[in-house]
Amino acid sequence: MKEKNMNYDVIIVGSGFAGSTLARKFAEDNKKVLIYEKRNQISGNMYEETLDSGIRVHKYGPHIFHTNDKEVFEFLKQYGEWYFYEHKVLGKINNVLVPIPFNFKSLELLFPKEEADEIKNKLLKKYPDIQKVSILDLIHDSDKTIREFGEFVYKNVFENYTAKQWNIPISEIDKSVINRVPVILGYDDRYFQDKYQFMPKYGYTKIFEELLNHKNIDICLKTNALTEISINDNKIYWKDKEYKGIVIYTGEIDELFNYKYGALPYRSLDLVFENYNMNYFQSSSVVNYPNEEKFTRITEFKYFSNQLIENKTTILKEYPKKYDYKDDSSIPYYAIINDENLEKYNKYYELVKKVPNLYMCGRLAEYKYYNMDAVIARALELYKKVGNKNEKSK
Ligand SMILES: Cc1cc2nc3c(=O)[nH]c(=O)nc-3n(C[C@H](O)[C@H](O)[C@H](O)COP(=O)(O)OP(=O)(O)OC[C@H]3O[C@@H](n4cnc5c(N)ncnc54)[C@H](O)[C@@H]3O)c2cc1C
C-alpha cells in the first residue's frame, strides 16, 4: 500500500507493537495515520511466517506473550483469538535435560538423592514462605551447602549462557541482571509466573493485520522512512517540506541522527532454521544449551502453534553475534545497556527533546529491552500524553 493522502496528522516509523499500537489509537481518534515500514511486512520482530509445510515460525526469534497488565491484554484481545499457553523450558546440564528456571525437579535430576534432600530441606527452612529466590542470595548464603548449590547453578545455568549471549566476561555483567536469575523453591516448572499467558491462535501476523485494519491507517512497506523524513534546525521535514504533524519514531535513534555521536551497540543473532521429517524434534518448545554448544537455545515451533502436522517439524537455533549497523542484513536485537552506551543514548535524546512533535517509542528508539507487554503499555501511555489530550510532554 502507498500513501494516498498528503494530509496525515501522524506519521509513524515502524510497524512493531510500538508503532502499530499507536497507529490504532490515533486512527480511532479520527487522525489520519501513515506508517513507514522498512521491511516487506508488518509486525516488527513479532512477524510470523508460514512455511510450505504449513508450520508457522517466528522469523525473528521465539516470542511468548505473558503479562500481569490487564489493560494490555484487554487491548490485544480485541484484535484476534488467543489461547492459554504456559511456557516451559528445559536446559541441557551435564547431558541431562532439566527444568529451567532451576527447580526442585532439576535438583533431583542432577544430584544424588541424599544430597538433593539435604539441599531442599535447607532451602525450605531458610526461605519458608517464598516461591523463588535469587541466585545472588544463594551464592552469598552463610550456609556452605546452600552456597555451593548456588555456585553450581550459577556456573552451569547462568555463567556460560550469559557469556555466550553477550560476549563479555561475566565480571562485567550488571549485578541487577544476575539478581533476576531465580531458583524455584518447589516444583513449579513454568518459565513465567504472570497472570495472563497466551499465544495468538492464528499467529502474531494476523493480530497485526487486524490491529492495522482501519480506514485511517495507510502503510508504506519496503520504505526506509529516513528517505522521506529528516530533522533540520530542530524541525521535522517530510518530503522536503516542513511537517507540523506528530511523528512517532520506533526505529534506531542513532540512525535518525545519522550516527552523529557514533553507533549504539547491540547484540545480534544468527537464526538458523532446520526442517525435519519427524513429528517432534525435542520434548519441549524451548531447550537451552548453556554450556558446550555454540548456540544458546533450540525452539521447536509446533509447540507454540498447536498445529497438527504429521511427520514434519521446524526448529530454530540461535547463535549470538555482534551487530553491524553498516550491514543491511544485520539486525539489532538486544541493546547493550551500560553507562557508556546510556550516555551516548542520552546525547541523542537531547536532540529529540528540541524537536516539537517528535516522539520516541519502542526498544530501538528508547534503546531499552522491552517485553511485548511493556512496549504496548509504553505506547498506550504515550498515546494518553500526546494523543487525545494533546499534552506535549515526551
Ligand atoms: C530474540 C528475541 C526474543 C524475544 N522474545 C520475547 C518474548 O518471548 N516475549 C516478549 O514479551 N518479548 C520478547 N522479545 C521482545 C520483543 O521483541 C519486543 O518487545 C518488541 O520487538 C518491541 O517492539 P517494537 O515495536 O519496539 O520493535 P520492533 O518489533 O523491532 O519494530 C520496529 C519496526 O520498525 C521498523 N523500522 C526501524 N527503522 C525504520 C525506518 N527508518 N523506516 C521504516 N521502518 C523502520 C523495523 O523494520 C521494525 O519492523 C524478544 C526480543 C528478542 C530480540
Side-chain angles (χ1 to χ4, degrees):
M1 202 190 300
K2 274 274 165 207
E3 67 257 52
K4 298 178 213 145
N5 167 339
M6 295 304 280
N7 299 317
Y8 292 104
D9 302 297
V10 184
I11 297 178
I12 295 184
V13 180
S15 67
F17 264 134
S20 299
T21 301
L22 278 152
R24 183 70 192 209
K25 296 301 286 183
F26 280 110
E28 282 176 355
D29 192 28
N30 217 17
K31 302 277 189 293
K32 297 272 179 224
V33 179
L34 174 65
I35 299 182
Y36 283 115
E37 172 51 63
K38 298 187 181 176
R39 293 177 179 158
N40 196 18
Q41 75 266 336
I42 56 169
S43 317
N45 276 2
M46 265 60 60
Y47 178 67
E48 263 184 73
E49 130 181 294
T50 305
L51 304 177
D52 289 346
S53 60
I55 295 171
R56 281 200 324 258
V57 301
H58 299 187
K59 190 165 174 200
Y60 301 100
H63 279 80
I64 296 103
F65 182 79
H66 57 100
T67 191
N68 286 316
D69 190 329
K70 188 164 187 254
E71 188 187 353
V72 166
F73 189 52
E74 293 295 326
F75 173 77
L76 279 181
K77 268 195 339 197
Q78 303 173 83
Y79 306 107
E81 274 182 65
W82 295 73
Y83 71 91
F84 181 65
Y85 170 85
E86 283 186 319
H87 191 47
K88 294 190 179 170
V89 173
L90 297 174
K92 188 179 147 212
I93 317 287
N94 295 344
N95 267 326
V96 184
L97 290 180
V98 305
I100 302 287
F102 211 91
N103 67 9
F104 282 0
K105 174 91 186 207
S106 322
L107 183 58
E108 288 164 8
L109 285 166
L110 289 169
F111 286 77
K113 186 175 180 326
E114 260 181 39
E115 214 181 314
D117 286 345
E118 188 195 354
I119 299 168
K120 278 187 285 181
N121 289 337
K122 284 197 166 179
L123 286 170
L124 289 174
K125 207 164 160 202
K126 178 86 194 236
Y127 304 100
D129 298 318
I130 56 173
Q131 288 167 336
K132 55 183 171 182
V133 59
S134 155
I135 194 174
L136 211 53
D137 289 341
L138 297 181
I139 55 182
H140 291 118
D141 201 279
S142 56
D143 182 283
K144 187 164 174 277
T145 311
I146 294 184
R147 210 167 49 240
E148 283 177 359
F149 166 65
E151 280 157 9
F152 175 89
V153 179
Y154 181 86
K155 199 160 180 32
N156 287 282
V157 179
F158 176 71
E159 189 174 46
N160 294 335
Y161 190 93
T162 307
K164 243 195 282 192
Q165 179 86 333
W166 296 100
N167 194 31
I168 50 174
I170 201 84
S171 54
E172 286 178 26
I173 299 288
D174 198 90
K175 284 249 171 344
S176 66
V177 174
I178 308 175
N179 204 27
R180 284 203 294 269
V181 181
V183 166
I184 307 290
L185 301 175
Y187 293 88
D188 186 348
D189 62 352
R190 294 170 305 158
Y191 197 70
F192 306 111
Q193 273 79 37
D194 300 52
K195 195 162 166 194
Y196 307 99
Q197 305 194 35
F198 290 90
M199 289 293 261
K201 189 165 176 191
Y202 303 107
Y204 287 104
T205 311
K206 270 256 167 282
I207 299 284
F208 277 84
E209 282 167 5
E210 238 358 90
L211 190 55
L212 296 177
N213 179 15
H214 193 287
K215 65 179 175 29
N216 290 336
I217 301 178
D218 291 341
I219 306 169
C220 266
L221 291 177
K222 283 207 282 186
T223 311
N224 186 329
L226 302 181
T227 58
E228 304 280 340
I229 293 173
S230 60
I231 312 289
N232 249 320
D233 291 335
N234 302 330
K235 292 182 195 134
I236 303 168
Y237 288 82
W238 178 51
K239 294 184 182 292
D240 298 325
K241 289 203 186 107
E242 192 181 342
Y243 177 71
K244 296 279 177 74
I246 290 172
V247 170
I248 308 275
Y249 185 82
T250 78
E252 290 154 78
I253 192 170
D254 47 1
E255 188 185 7
L256 176 63
F257 294 103
N258 206 15
Y259 306 100
K260 187 182 166 118
Y261 302 125
L264 284 162
Y266 289 86
R267 286 296 278 166
S268 188
L269 295 167
D270 245 340
L271 297 181
V272 178
F273 291 86
E274 294 174 5
N275 301 310
Y276 290 93
N277 291 328
M278 54 171 64
N279 282 336
Y280 284 98
F281 178 88
Q282 59 192 25
S283 54
S284 178
S285 58
V286 172
V287 177
N288 284 2
Y289 289 82
N291 300 313
E292 294 84 7
E293 290 75 3
K294 285 211 165 68
F295 47 84
T296 48
R297 57 181 176 176
I298 296 183
T299 299
E300 184 164 16
F301 291 99
K302 270 165 77 175
Y303 285 102
F304 292 156
S305 55
N306 264 343
Q307 290 173 288
L308 300 171
I309 296 171
E310 279 192 19
N311 204 31
K312 290 212 182 310
T313 193
T314 299
I315 62 158
L316 168 66
K317 291 179 179 163
E318 293 173 51
Y319 295 84
K321 65 172 186 185
K322 203 173 160 194
Y323 167 62
D324 177 3
Y325 77 100
K326 290 184 185 142
D327 173 358
D328 278 350
S329 67
S330 187
I331 298 177
Y333 279 109
Y334 300 106
I336 301 177
I337 309 290
N338 59 33
D339 291 347
E340 186 189 339
N341 298 343
L342 287 180
E343 197 180 312
K344 195 183 279 183
Y345 174 80
N346 287 333
K347 276 168 83 179
Y348 281 116
Y349 195 70
E350 284 305 312
L351 301 177
V352 172
K353 286 205 279 191
K354 292 183 188 152
V355 185
N357 293 338
L358 174 65
Y359 298 93
M360 301 290 111
C361 187
R363 65 186 195 94
L364 300 166
E366 297 182 79
Y367 198 64
K368 249 189 185 176
Y369 183 82
Y370 273 124
N371 270 326
M372 285 183 262
D373 62 328
V375 91
I376 295 166
R378 159 74 181 139
L380 293 173
E381 177 204 280
L382 185 61
Y383 173 71
K384 282 178 197 155
K385 280 189 187 150
V386 298
N388 48 1
K389 289 191 190 140
N390 244 355
E391 288 169 20
K392 298 294 178 208
S393 65
K394 297 190 183 196

